[in-house]
Amino acid sequence: MNRLRPPATRPPSRTLEHGFRWLCLLAALLPVAVLGVLLFDVVRTGIGRIDVQFLTSFPSRRPEHAGIIAGAVGSLWLVGLTAAIAVPIGVGAAIYLEEYARRGRLATLIEVNVSNLAGVPSIIYGLLGLELFVRALSLGRSLLAGALTLALLVLPIIILSTREALRTVPRGLREAGLALGATRWQVVRQVVLPLAIPGILTGSILAISRAIGEAAPLVVLGALSYVDFLPDGPMAPFSALPIQIFNWTSRPQAGFAVNAAAGIIVLMATLLVLNAAAIITRNRMQKRLGR
Amino acid sequence: MQTTVDSDACLSPPYRTMEPAQMSNPGVAAKLSVQELSAWHGEKQVLVRVSLDLPEHEISAVIGPSGCGKSTLIRCLNRMHELVPGATHRGSIQLDGEDIYASGVDPVLIRRRVGMVFQKPNPFPTMSIRDNVLAGLRLTGMRPGDLDAVVESALQQAALWSEVKDRLREPGTSLSGGQQQRLCIARALAVEPEVLLLDEPCSALDPIATTRIEDLLGTLRERYTIVIVTHNMQQAARVSQQTAFLLQGELVEFTETDALFTKPKDKRTEDYVTGKFG
Ligand SMILES: Nc1ncnc2c1ncn2[C@@H]1O[C@H](COP(=O)(O)OP(=O)(O)O)[C@@H](O)[C@H]1O
Ligand SMILES: [Mg+2]
């Protein structure tokens, strides 16, 4: 004991203290630096390639004629359908778990499952989607099958973030509503949800941006990388932006590497916008709740 | 703080028995009649066979050291107790002679007749002053014709109208603590309850705001039957006609307020009101 505790007045070794601080700083900066280098490299390679032709063209065998329109429109469809499927189900499940379910075996079972699902590798969802939606429900390799698969993938995120948002609403407000003679649903709809909605939106946006970036489950599902038409409905075959990028990176010609970089920039910009929107709504919520 | 009583002592069944004394005021009609009410939080018994009659158009105070079951008692009166996970009860409570716990009785309808104001002022943060007053009607889907009249009448009754009549569109949370609590009273009154329960409504307020609410209760008595929980004995003495003294979930004494404070029958009441513990 005494050897570990030198006379109390002397602070622990200055150099050790400093050294450790620098080490931590280095650890914090390393990922930022790596990301920075990657981004810089991608932007330098791809930024010049982004023009109207690139944004509005279908894929092509010649890199300078190829574009991302099929992937981008496919991604938009996917994201819209995914949100339309996953947000109502996820929010409903969260409301049930948080506002209605009695603390019991069933609630605990669902809770543990939801948390675990959030950690399942996305490719597993792809396999599940292939079996369940493409084959068993014979939806084929359609947008709908893709969206359902992505919806499964983001459902845990939406459920967890919605529950988090619901929990920030003080219990006293629910009691006040119930004491006025309102039913649980009336209280949820008119007291709890208005306060929780920014948090729910934030979670949903983050979940959706996760869905936009996913390629693996779509590859398994059989999304196309060469599509020269735009989808005309949820049953159409489709491509998606990450699939398109993935395809270009695996081509030998240098022109396609440039296209891939440009595609990544478009994807990153979209994600950045979505995340910024999520942060802004969260700040709004904190202002509104900050009494 | 206290010497003779450990308020957190666990009274788990089987509890010690006591005389189930029916304590009531003959001559005045009972608005609420509580019979042999026991209540539990999980395994822990919080109320032990409490019986008392609360007379109509009078103010009844419930006093006792913290943790003795005051909140639980009044939360049983509007069926809020059962909302807490693991909470159970036994015994019966009659509102105008009807058992509020009878099967087939909708607790939601009971809560409309028996309103409640909480310890911490809790106006709805997303709503304006006006919308807070109307919250009970909106939440429950009632559509009275003249909303302005409802707002004015409820705020008048809560002695808040003159202070807020020019700022009805501002958020309810922009008011001071005392004003917020009166807003909560107005909100409870707007659904036209018959009974008003108040759970330590002044404990978060300064003395001036407290006095305003105490004065207000005196006028509300004409229209409502009022039950107020307070840990402040002076407050009970100032506002109420009868006082119930609870100790570790037992109703020790329930009688006219003057009598309870000046000539308590039970030694424990005497010790409490003379400040020997609590
Ligand atoms: N939600 C709850 N869960 C478990 N125990 C509770 C809960 N609320 C109150 N209790 C217990 O019940 C007893 C009575 O509480 P309460 O009625 O709030 O007392 P008071 O209002 O007189 O301070 C206390 O001992 C408290 O610990
Ligand atoms: Mg209490």
Side-chain angles (χ1 to χ4, degrees):
Chain A
M1 261 327 240
N2 273 339
R3 251 183 305 149
L4 289 176
R5 296 187 72 184
T9 45
R10 218 179 72 204
S13 158
R14 271 279 172 82
T15 42
L16 197 73
E17 171 85 11
H18 268 259
F20 190 64
R21 228 177 93 185
W22 282 108
L23 208 69
C24 289
L25 186 65
L26 193 72
L29 284 180
L30 195 68
V32 179
V34 171
L35 191 69
V37 170
L38 274 174
L39 268 181
F40 178 75
D41 188 47
V42 166
V43 170
R44 200 191 45 181
T45 316
I47 194 80
R49 180 67 185 89
I50 297 177
D51 54 17
V52 176
Q53 178 276 324
F54 181 71
L55 293 176
T56 58
S57 297
F58 285 101
S60 161
R61 255 173 299 137
R62 276 175 298 165
E64 63 278 13
H65 288 174
I68 57 167
I69 187 71
V73 173
S75 277
L76 280 182
W77 266 97
L78 272 180
V79 162
L81 286 172
T82 303
I85 296 163
V87 172
I89 296 177
V91 171
I95 289 176
Y96 173 76
L97 287 173
E98 205 57 37
E99 308 285 336
Y100 289 92
R102 297 246 157 208
R103 304 280 122 227
R105 285 242 183 95
L106 182 68
T108 315
L109 188 77
I110 298 176
E111 246 159 62
V112 170
N113 267 307
V114 169
S115 316
N116 283 342
L117 280 178
V120 171
S122 59
I123 197 151
I124 306 291
Y125 284 97
L127 292 170
L128 176 68
L130 183 66
E131 279 310 319
L132 184 61
F133 301 126
V134 176
R135 296 196 180 134
L137 296 179
S138 25
L139 295 175
R141 300 169 190 283
S142 62
L143 275 170
L144 186 59
L148 283 166
T149 307
L150 290 179
L152 281 185
L153 179 82
V154 299
L155 209 50
I157 307 176
I158 295 179
I159 294 176
L160 293 174
S161 60
T162 301
R163 295 189 68 186
E164 205 58 51
L166 292 173
R167 264 184 235 137
T168 62
V169 179
R171 224 170 72 93
L173 294 179
R174 292 181 179 84
E175 293 221 313
L178 293 167
L180 287 168
T183 61
R184 262 185 203 278
W185 170 239
Q186 286 166 335
V187 170
V188 167
R189 209 177 72 85
Q190 296 183 63
V191 175
V192 177
L193 280 183
L195 280 165
I197 222 90
I200 295 174
L201 276 181
T202 312
S204 301
I205 293 173
L206 290 177
I208 292 309
S209 59
R210 166 91 195 271
I212 292 185
E214 279 297 339
L218 298 179
V219 170
V220 177
L221 214 63
L224 308 171
S225 54
Y226 189 93
V227 178
D228 55 2
F229 55 87
L230 294 181
D232 56 359
M235 296 316 290
F238 67 100
S239 181
L241 208 43
I243 301 279
Q244 187 66 68
I245 293 166
F246 177 64
N247 175 267
W248 279 333
T249 51
S250 53
R251 302 275 194 98
Q253 297 99 313
F256 282 118
V258 174
N259 281 359
I264 289 172
I265 294 172
V266 173
L267 191 60
M268 295 273 287
T270 315
L271 291 176
L272 220 62
V273 169
L274 279 173
N275 282 286
I279 290 167
I280 290 169
T281 37
R282 167 155 297 163
N283 289 348
R284 281 241 184 95
M285 169 176 77
Q286 276 158 355
K287 236 181 246 158
R288 208 151 99 186
L289 270 177
R291 268 160 292 160
Chain B
M1 180 178 109
Q2 57 192 51
T3 51
T4 55
V5 180
D6 177 6
S7 65
D8 281 325
C10 195
L11 293 168
S12 58
Y15 47 85
R16 66 203 145 103
T17 51
M18 68 173 282
E19 287 293 293
Q22 175 78 25
M23 306 191 197
S24 64
N25 269 8
V28 192
K31 181 72 182 174
L32 272 167
S33 172
V34 178
Q35 281 134 24
E36 295 275 305
L37 179 70
S38 296
W40 289 263
H41 277 295
E43 290 290 294
K44 178 174 175 176
Q45 183 161 17
V46 177
L47 291 177
V48 186
R49 296 205 284 163
V50 171
S51 297
L52 74 176
D53 281 348
L54 302 168
E56 189 159 22
H57 295 301
E58 294 204 353
I59 302 179
S60 304
V62 180
I63 61 169
S66 91
C68 70
K70 305 181 295 294
S71 298
T72 306
L73 172 60
I74 68 162
R75 288 170 63 91
C76 285
L77 299 181
N78 66 344
R79 298 193 59 172
M80 292 290 285
H81 177 61
E82 67 204 53
L83 295 172
V84 180
T88 51
H89 84 283
R90 204 161 60 204
S92 81
I93 297 176
Q94 277 151 18
L95 177 61
D96 286 335
E98 274 173 73
D99 188 355
I100 64 170
Y101 283 102
S103 66
V105 172
D106 187 351
V108 162
L109 297 177
I110 296 300
R111 293 183 202 125
R112 282 181 211 171
R113 293 173 65 190
V114 185
M116 188 167 212
V117 173
F118 297 83
Q119 190 164 349
K120 192 167 160 267
N122 52 7
F124 297 125
T126 51
M127 299 184 196
S128 67
I129 293 171
R130 179 189 150 88
D131 288 344
N132 261 289
V133 176
L134 294 173
L137 299 176
R138 295 238 170 93
L139 279 172
T140 56
M142 285 188 263
R143 300 257 173 273
D146 192 351
L147 293 180
D148 291 331
V150 172
V151 172
E152 177 166 354
S153 148
L155 287 170
Q156 290 274 19
Q157 290 186 63
L160 189 59
W161 174 250
S162 58
E163 290 160 61
V164 300
K165 64 173 190 287
D166 300 320
R167 45 190 292 205
L168 293 173
R169 306 277 165 187
E170 286 175 34
T173 44
S174 68
L175 298 171
S176 73
Q179 289 173 324
Q180 287 190 18
Q181 195 60 303
R182 276 178 284 146
L183 177 61
C184 292
I185 294 177
R187 179 176 71 185
L189 297 181
V191 293
E192 300 185 345
E194 298 156 40
V195 181
L196 189 61
L197 309 173
L198 302 108
D199 192 353
E200 305 196 22
C202 303
S203 63
L205 307 183
D206 61 65
I208 294 172
T210 299
T211 309
R212 298 212 58 160
I213 292 195
E214 288 178 5
D215 293 346
L216 166 62
L217 294 180
T219 63
L220 289 178
R221 185 192 150 190
E222 288 166 24
R223 292 181 63 171
Y224 308 93
T225 301
I226 295 175
V227 185
I228 178 171
V229 167
T230 174
H231 59 237
N232 177 336
M233 283 179 276
Q234 285 74 35
Q235 181 168 64
R238 281 192 300 264
V239 303
S240 69
Q241 281 73 57
Q242 43 271 312
T243 299
F245 173 52
L246 272 184
L247 192 59
Q248 283 189 291
E250 289 176 20
L251 180 61
V252 175
E253 199 161 340
F254 177 53
T255 182
E256 271 143 40
T257 299
D258 284 345
L260 187 117
F261 285 108
T262 53
K263 35 184 189 309
K265 291 201 192 75
D266 195 293
K267 180 75 172 68
R268 292 169 293 175
T269 316
E270 187 181 337
D271 287 349
Y272 185 69
V273 300
T274 53
K276 292 221 178 90
F277 70 92

